[in-house]
């Protein structure tokens, strides 16, 4: 009964394919946000640049969380095989 980790992975991100899809969409959002940061830096508007950077932080965190879940699944796979 020690393996309750999979119970928290219910929903659209529950499967490995869902996690990979989520990681891909997070990566695309980070790319878009980085373009926004570059545009804001080009205009030398500090407030727009700060806004763009602040908008990027949750996207990076989300991608990191999904990567951690994928790595956890990868570690669990050899044990079940």
């Amino acid at each position: 009964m020690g393996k309750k980790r999979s119970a928290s992975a219910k929903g659209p991100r529950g499967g490995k394919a869902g996690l990979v899809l989520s990681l891909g969409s997070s990566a695309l959002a980070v790319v878009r946000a980085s373009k926004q940061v570059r545009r804001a830096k080009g205009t030398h508007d500090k407030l727009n640049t700060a806004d763009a950077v602040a908008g990027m932080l949750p996207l990076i965190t989300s991608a990191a969380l999904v990567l951690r879940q994928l790595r956890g699944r990868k570690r669990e796979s050899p044990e079940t095989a």
Side-chain angles (χ1 to χ4, degrees), residues 10-22:
K10 290 182 180 177
R13 293 186 184 186
K16 188 174 182 178
L19 287 173
V20 171
L21 184 63
S22 177

Side-chain angles (χ1 to χ4, degrees), residues 13 22-23 25-27 29-31 33 36-37 50-66:
R13 293 186 184 186
S22 177
L23 180 62
S25 64
S26 292
V30 167
V31 168
Q36 183 182 1
V37 169
D51 182 45
V53 169
M56 214 162 119
L57 295 176
L59 299 172
I60 293 170
T61 304
S62 174
L65 288 171
V66 172

